[in-house]
Amino acid sequence: MALPGYPRPSTAVEYDDRRRQARLRETRLGHDWIDWRRTRLILLRGSLIPLMLIGLFAQYLAWDVMPERARLARTEPAVMPIAGPSDPRASDTAVFDLVGLGVLDATDTAQALPSLSKLGSVWAVRYDNTGIDTKVIADLIVKVTAAARAPNVVLVGHSMGGVIALEIANHLHTESDRRVLAVMLDCTPVDLHAVRAESRDQGEEMLRWTGWIPGARESRLLRFTVEMYARHERFMGGGRYGFRPERFREAVAQVLRDKIFNSDIASNGLIEAQFKAIVAGGAIDDLRALAKPAAGKPRPAIVFIRPHDGYRDPIVDVDYSHRVLIDQVGGVNGTLLVITTRNTAHANPIQRPREYNAVIEQQAVPFIRLLRQQPVSVAAPPR
């Protein structure tokens, strides 16, 4: 076969790579373009980039986002029984434990605090992984306590869980027939200013990511990236090249085991909802509502558990929360009890169960029982 421009047919013996290149030039796309040829080629080649990105994005949705979204669609909030009342006087009271940012189920925390059973039967709240609706949780508590014939409620919130507990208490105190005896706050940030700068910046960055990136609320890849960044100090620095491969492998294994392949962990969407509860700053309004009698029910007791040395809590400025609580529910005729601990850090009852149980049994329980006897007509503290 003769190639154009060549006088005679080519043979295998006469093979010349120049002929192959010439043939490719003559048959490639756009070889006959004359006007705007270079511009048209640049545009054509550039169009391949968005096509590749669209393909990658489709794989991201198909393999990362959609399976997690389907799993989360089947979840709903629940309460699990932990223990019955250890004191017969508390048989008419139910205690509900709520955990903080990034944790889904309060069962382990409630089991670490058997002293709560002196206040009543103990229940653990499991959040809905798609988000938080405090009214739904409050309605669920009303149904559970009605079935258990326990008209009195105590709410215990650890860290951000305290913000949720205050909002639920407001619903119960002002909109239901349940009597809220107390709200126990463990290192709770009463507003965004109470969150230390580093943790606040990380939370705000997470909100930006979930707002900008489609599927970020369900993406396990994004969750893996964020969790690894939160642990980067473990494996960055030191070593031969400023990197420690063995610690990196340990961090990867931990994140995959505890955060990615663990179906009992809080989703990105839940974490976003939890952080937004702090950003909204409604805890102060809830405290104001709880500082007044409502529907013939007296004011609940507010118990704040915090480290004696505020700097032992690296996440929440407990001194700031302490001052706000004094302003809202403390002072003369107030309902506030502040308990300072020596060896605890940020809302860590599982790590320090002995000290937590001791202060709850010796200080919180007597205070709540004493305040329970107050008449409804007690005036709220002046503002």
Side-chain angles (χ1 to χ4, degrees), residues 120-173:
S121 58
V122 181
W123 301 74
V125 175
R126 178 186 173 89
Y127 298 128
D128 183 339
N129 224 336
T130 58
I132 295 177
D133 188 331
T134 55
K135 184 63 169 64
V136 172
I137 299 176
D139 292 342
L140 181 60
I141 288 175
V142 170
K143 292 179 182 178
V144 169
T145 52
R149 297 182 180 179
N152 302 315
V153 174
V154 174
L155 297 168
V156 182
H158 307 278
S159 186
M160 183 284 315
V163 178
I164 305 300
L166 286 171
E167 193 169 338
I168 295 171
N170 189 358
H171 287 303
L172 296 174
H173 184 60

Side-chain angles (χ1 to χ4, degrees), residues 284-323:
I284 294 178
D285 292 335
D286 295 327
L287 285 167
R288 290 171 181 163
L290 297 173
K292 298 178 291 186
K297 296 175 289 187
R299 300 170 295 157
I302 306 295
V303 179
F304 184 49
I305 302 177
R306 50 154 295 181
H308 177 77
D309 181 0
Y311 289 100
R312 288 183 63 90
D313 190 330
I315 298 175
V316 174
D317 185 351
V318 292
D319 293 320
Y320 176 88
S321 288
H322 190 163
R323 292 192 298 270

Side-chain angles (χ1 to χ4, degrees), residues 268-284:
N268 299 352
L270 176 60
I271 296 175
E272 179 194 19
Q274 291 172 330
F275 190 77
K276 280 184 176 178
I278 303 174
V279 175
I284 294 178

Side-chain angles (χ1 to χ4, degrees), residues 42-56:
I42 292 174
L43 292 175
L44 177 63
R45 293 165 182 168
S47 65
L48 297 176
I49 297 176
L51 289 176
M52 294 175 59
L53 294 177
I54 291 173
L56 291 174

Side-chain angles (χ1 to χ4, degrees), residues 85-237:
S86 60
D87 190 327
R89 293 176 294 177
S91 59
D92 61 348
T93 303
V95 183
F96 294 87
D97 200 1
L98 300 101
V99 282
L101 192 68
V103 186
L104 180 65
D105 192 343
T107 298
D108 292 342
T109 305
Q111 289 174 343
L113 297 174
S115 57
L116 293 178
S117 63
K118 292 188 174 296
L119 293 169
S121 58
V122 181
W123 301 74
V125 175
R126 178 186 173 89
Y127 298 128
D128 183 339
N129 224 336
T130 58
I132 295 177
D133 188 331
T134 55
K135 184 63 169 64
V136 172
I137 299 176
D139 292 342
L140 181 60
I141 288 175
V142 170
K143 292 179 182 178
V144 169
T145 52
R149 297 182 180 179
N152 302 315
V153 174
V154 174
L155 297 168
V156 182
H158 307 278
S159 186
M160 183 284 315
V163 178
I164 305 300
L166 286 171
E167 193 169 338
I168 295 171
N170 189 358
H171 287 303
L172 296 174
H173 184 60
T174 60
E175 303 170 10
S176 78
D177 60 351
R178 305 292 98 176
R179 176 183 175 182
V180 181
L181 296 182
V183 181
M184 198 176 302
L185 308 174
D186 178 15
C187 299
T188 294
V190 292
D191 59 29
L192 193 58
H193 298 293
V195 181
R196 297 197 186 276
E198 181 178 356
S199 299
R200 183 168 62 246
D201 292 343
Q202 291 177 357
E204 291 173 342
E205 187 70 19
M206 180 200 65
L207 289 183
R208 282 192 290 270
W209 281 36
T210 55
W212 292 344
I213 303 177
R217 291 173 178 82
E218 298 88 7
S219 173
R220 291 163 292 182
L221 177 62
L222 179 59
R223 179 66 176 272
F224 177 81
T225 304
V226 172
E227 294 289 350
M228 287 301 297
Y229 177 76
R231 294 164 174 76
H232 73 277
E233 292 183 356
R234 299 184 187 180
F235 50 83
M236 298 301 296

Side-chain angles (χ1 to χ4, degrees), residues 158 259 267:
H158 307 278
K259 304 296 183 180
S267 68

